[in-house]
Amino acid sequence: MATIPTITLNNGVEMPQLGFGVFQVPDLAECAAAVTTALQAGYRLLDTATAYQNEEAVGRGIKASGVARDEIFVTSKLWVSDFTYERAQRGIDASLQRLGLDYLDLYLLHQPYGDTMGAWRALEEAHQAGKIRAIGVSNFYADQLKNLELTMTVKPVINQIEVNPWYQQPSEVAFNQSEDVRVEAWAPFAEGKQGIFTNTTLQQIAQAHGKTTGQVILRWLLQRGITVIPKSVHRERIRENQDVFDFTLTPAEMQTIAGLDQGKSQFFDHRDPVTIEQIFGASLKDLK
Ligand code: NAP
């Protein structure tokens, strides 16, 4: 079983470069089993969220794996319905309780909406109290990230954003990297949209290396200095997705994949007022 290399975050904490995501695994038994499979296959980074409603199953999967807690890097996220200082304090404790853990390795503000500053202050305090080893954000554009950095005390270690061959976000990735905020790609496979696994360009590159298209995509992200958290509930794919550290894409292949960029999110534009209403509007009743 090959060891997954780590990187050092801007606060000195070490984090695996590749992990396991559990979005859209609502069946809790399936989720727990997938987490156990992933840990036993060698994954050491897990990515869940309050909004995924499966933190409890992730906790169960960890326990069943037999892997020691201190070998695992557990990430969860606070949902927008808890974006006030007081609600965030409770939200952090609730995540810990559901996961059955006494600390989190990384906790993220899931979206850039509402009282992010109040919520961030609660994350800072939990970090200082030793409940969370590192704190970060998700779906923050450069201006929102800069605003948070300038307003608050602790700098985010991570910004988890959508990055995949169809939506490569070169300027956002470069900005985060210039700020020493690690980019973590969600939906690295664009959730399979537009036939990504059978794309001819990616297939040709995969063939040249004796790899799969999924492995080529993950390798391309890693070579851009991006952390990846692919999701699968299938044992063979779980294994396949972590087997990406024994080959290197050439500069020409990296360029070819850069040419696939469509410059558009495959899901939603986080700056679109309609999206903001959809994601955040439903939470307002909880915040009043
Ligand atoms: P993804 O990883 O891009 O794609 C997952 C899909 O690809 C699933 O349908 C999976 O099917 C399939 N798949 C996985 N490996 C495969 C392979 N080797 N060959 C063929 N098909 C394969 O999508 P995602 O789950 O949305 O993103 C990854 C993680 O990012 C999430 O799980 C979550 O932790 C995080 N995320 C965060 C945000 C955010 O706002 N911060 C948003 C979305 C996701 P099977 O499961 O059936 O194998």
Side-chain angles (χ1 to χ4, degrees), residues 38-193:
L39 289 172
Q40 290 178 345
Y43 287 77
R44 288 296 177 265
L45 158 60
L46 302 172
D47 186 86
T48 182
T50 301
Y52 304 168
Q53 300 185 4
N54 57 19
E55 287 171 303
E56 197 205 320
V58 170
R60 270 195 275 131
I62 292 172
K63 285 204 179 72
S65 74
V67 178
R69 167 68 185 98
D70 63 3
E71 280 185 35
I72 309 171
F73 190 99
V74 182
T75 307
S76 192
K77 315 183 191 83
L78 188 73
W79 188 239
V80 288
S81 53
D82 281 331
F83 279 18
T84 66
Y85 172 65
E86 290 80 12
R87 287 187 70 96
Q89 287 179 309
R90 293 198 293 273
I92 294 161
D93 288 341
S95 277
L96 283 167
Q97 200 182 10
R98 286 188 295 264
L99 282 155
L101 301 176
D102 52 14
Y103 70 91
L104 277 151
D105 295 279
L106 177 65
Y107 205 59
L108 308 178
L109 295 186
H110 205 146
Q111 303 287 350
Y113 309 134
D115 181 10
T116 50
M117 302 300 168
W120 188 255
R121 188 153 62 87
L123 263 60
E124 287 184 339
E125 288 180 7
H127 172 54
Q128 275 141 17
K131 287 184 190 177
I132 313 174
R133 295 175 68 222
I135 57 177
V137 296
S138 178
N139 299 309
F140 276 51
Y141 281 96
D143 55 329
Q144 297 161 325
L145 182 72
K146 192 65 176 173
N147 190 39
L148 182 79
E149 280 182 42
L150 292 175
T151 311
M152 303 305 291
T153 311
V154 180
K155 183 176 173 157
V157 295
I158 283 267
N159 189 4
Q160 188 180 110
I161 58 176
E162 178 190 348
V163 194
N164 51 58
W166 310 147
Y167 189 42
Q168 303 191 6
Q169 302 227 57
S171 60
E172 291 294 323
V173 170
F175 178 76
N176 280 276
Q177 291 177 341
S178 71
E179 295 287 299
D180 198 16
V181 174
R182 179 81 182 181
V183 174
E184 186 173 48
W186 63 256
F189 302 139
E191 294 183 5
K193 285 181 194 290

Side-chain angles (χ1 to χ4, degrees), residues 202 205-206 211-220 247 249 257:
L202 294 171
I205 296 173
K211 289 286 180 180
T212 67
T213 49
Q215 289 170 326
V216 164
I217 293 167
L218 296 175
R219 188 68 216 170
W220 163 75
F247 74 111
L249 299 174
I257 300 173

Side-chain angles (χ1 to χ4, degrees), residues 7-41:
I7 49 103
T8 305
L9 298 167
N10 67 29
N11 68 351
V13 167
E14 263 191 71
M15 173 183 187
Q17 287 182 25
L18 179 146
F20 185 66
V22 295
F23 182 40
Q24 296 176 127
V25 194
D27 181 315
L28 299 185
E30 183 177 46
C31 180
V35 165
T36 301
T37 300
L39 289 172
Q40 290 178 345

